[in-house]
Amino acid sequence: VALKQQRIELARVPRGIPVEEDFRLVEAEVPEPAEGQFLGRVVYLSLDPYLRSAIAGRHPGHDACRPGDLVPGRAVAEVVRSRHPALSSGDFVLVASGWQEYCLSDGAGVRRIEEEGAPLSAYLGVLGMPGLTAWAGVTQLLRPRAAETVVVSAATGPVGGTAGQIAKRLGCRVVGIAGSAAKCAHAVAEFAFDACVNHKEQGFRAELAAACPDRIAAYFDNVGGAVLEAVISELGLNGRIALCGLIDQYNTGVPYALPLAPVIAKRARLMGLVVYDYESRYAEFLGQALGWLREGRLRYLEDRAQGLAAAPLAFRRLMSGQNFGKSLVVVGEERRLE
Ligand SMILES: NC(=O)c1ccc[n+]([C@@H]2O[C@H](COP(=O)([O-])OP(=O)(O)OC[C@H]3O[C@@H](n4cnc5c(N)ncnc54)[C@H](OP(=O)(O)O)[C@@H]3O)[C@@H](O)[C@H]2O)c1
């Protein structure tokens, strides 16, 4: 008898912020790997802002999802059956699994997690793609000097939290921007940011100015929109901006009309960041990040949902800014029970 699993399909094309009704939990057979393939058991499913654009067909490499399609996503999975030459049962991998309990893969784009001493889930956040994004944006694009003021938005997320901590390690004054008082308190108390201001408060612009008395030398932008506009108005001359994400417009696809005159007046430099350009630097980044993590000098926060069925709600929370830390779904047991 074929084993059954749960998977989540798109039920209808989401409009704006995705809601639970846009998704459907269905039962499916656990597939058998063919020669050259392996079967992965999903342990941690990663929820990432780019998935909203991917579902809409606005992210490179993703066709728009139609009703009935498996929802895309990456995960930490355990290889449970292998006919792949380089992977064996018991290996843990990062794989484009989609929102399901078991996935087939031919190994393309798969990375085996070999390093010991860090939790597996960290490979979706601080030690994974978001961490590499943060590292690349700070050390390769912004290149801040000690004592410069660096501002980071979405400050408690896996990209922002990591970017701010790396800038702190370089001796910068780091000011976070986040969407609640609790997030701001966390950025200061746990990530050792010098200050953090709430972009949802009335006095946001004045608070940002007060937190950056020497003006802003470098900005790691995760959100775009009104927050980016506010930061540009506090930018110092020759300020640098790494444009990493525009979550402000992922739900709608409608671009924000950013006034460009201040960019000229400040002689600002805007740099687009695409993490895939830095894949070849992953080992270098991971070596540093693992060291900092083990020494307790790099911290991270996770927002965990339990069980595959919880993924749609968790995704809605992420896409409306309600997540508090790296958003992930615990789909299966971390270790085999046998
Ligand atoms: N360029 C690249 O290669 C690359 C790679 C990875 C990630 N990214 C981008 O980096 C950004 C952060 O990713 P992450 O994984 O670390 O996510 P994250 O910070 O955990 O989650 C997104 C955060 O964005 C803020 N937010 C949500 N909706 C918003 C809205 N409508 N307007 C303003 N802010 C909103 C919220 O934080 P607050 O409540 O604190 O505002 C929310 O918690 C995303 O934009 C992502 O697409 C880019």
Side-chain angles (χ1 to χ4, degrees):
V1 188
L3 280 174
K4 298 286 186 195
Q5 66 155 328
Q6 292 189 322
R7 66 198 322 241
I8 295 179
E9 300 175 348
L10 200 69
R12 63 180 189 198
V13 176
R15 289 186 180 196
I17 294 171
V19 294
E20 289 91 310
E21 294 74 22
D22 297 332
F23 303 92
R24 183 165 52 218
L25 187 72
V26 297
E27 204 177 61
E29 285 188 0
V30 176
E32 277 294 329
E35 189 57 39
Q37 292 183 323
F38 70 86
L39 180 70
R41 181 182 64 85
V42 172
V43 181
Y44 298 112
L45 173 67
S46 183
L47 298 180
D48 295 270
Y50 81 87
L51 290 174
R52 178 66 186 88
S53 307
I55 289 169
R58 293 193 295 261
H59 193 77
H62 288 265
D63 292 330
C65 283
R66 287 163 309 185
D69 286 350
L70 176 69
V71 181
R74 293 181 67 82
V76 169
E78 181 189 8
V79 176
V80 287
R81 218 162 296 160
S82 183
R83 299 181 69 189
H84 186 279
L87 293 165
S88 321
S89 290
D91 285 348
F92 284 94
V93 292
L94 282 163
V95 56
S97 60
W99 291 17
Q100 55 185 347
E101 292 177 300
Y102 290 88
C103 65
L104 275 187
S105 169
D106 62 5
V110 167
R111 201 181 86 76
R112 184 166 49 199
I113 299 171
E114 285 164 1
E115 303 76 12
E116 297 289 330
L120 282 173
S121 60
Y123 288 88
L124 298 180
V126 65
L127 298 181
M129 181 276 285
L132 179 64
T133 305
W135 177 87
V138 175
T139 69
Q140 307 299 304
L141 295 184
L142 293 174
R143 298 177 175 273
R145 290 178 289 276
E148 281 189 332
T149 297
V150 176
V151 171
V152 183
S153 50
T156 53
V159 175
T162 309
Q165 290 180 81
I166 293 174
K168 275 304 292 181
R169 301 201 53 71
L170 298 174
C172 303
R173 173 176 169 80
V174 175
V175 176
I177 297 175
S180 72
K183 287 183 178 184
C184 288
H186 189 93
V188 172
E190 296 295 323
F191 296 163
F193 285 23
D194 296 282
C196 186
V197 292
N198 181 350
H199 65 87
K200 292 184 180 157
E201 287 287 344
Q202 278 274 312
F204 165 59
R205 279 173 169 252
E207 291 220 2
L208 181 66
C212 303
D214 298 332
R215 305 197 76 105
I216 298 163
Y219 175 45
F220 194 115
D221 182 28
N222 284 313
V223 301
V227 173
L228 174 58
E229 186 180 345
V231 171
I232 290 175
S233 75
E234 293 306 319
L235 207 60
L237 272 187
N238 303 305
R240 293 99 70 197
I241 298 178
L243 292 173
C244 173
L246 296 169
I247 194 164
D248 173 62
Q249 69 185 48
Y250 292 169
N251 290 309
T252 60
V254 178
Y256 183 84
L258 184 73
L260 290 175
V263 176
I264 297 177
K266 310 268 173 162
R267 286 78 157 170
R269 193 146 54 89
L270 274 60
M271 296 169 278
L273 167 59
V274 176
V275 65
Y276 307 122
D277 297 346
Y278 300 92
E279 288 297 335
S280 64
R281 309 287 298 274
Y282 181 71
E284 182 187 345
F285 153 73
L286 184 63
Q288 286 184 6
L290 268 173
W292 295 332
L293 202 69
R294 288 185 184 129
E295 293 161 9
R297 296 191 296 163
L298 177 60
R299 299 190 169 186
Y300 65 98
L301 185 65
E302 289 180 343
D303 188 322
R304 291 177 165 223
Q306 296 293 332
L308 184 70
L313 172 60
F315 191 50
R316 169 157 73 82
R317 293 179 63 246
L318 172 67
M319 295 314 301
S320 53
Q322 293 173 57
N323 65 308
F324 198 162
K326 166 65 200 165
S327 177
L328 62 91
V329 184
V330 183
V331 175
E333 295 279 344
E334 176 156 337
R335 296 288 170 190
R336 251 191 301 186
L337 293 174
E338 59 195 49

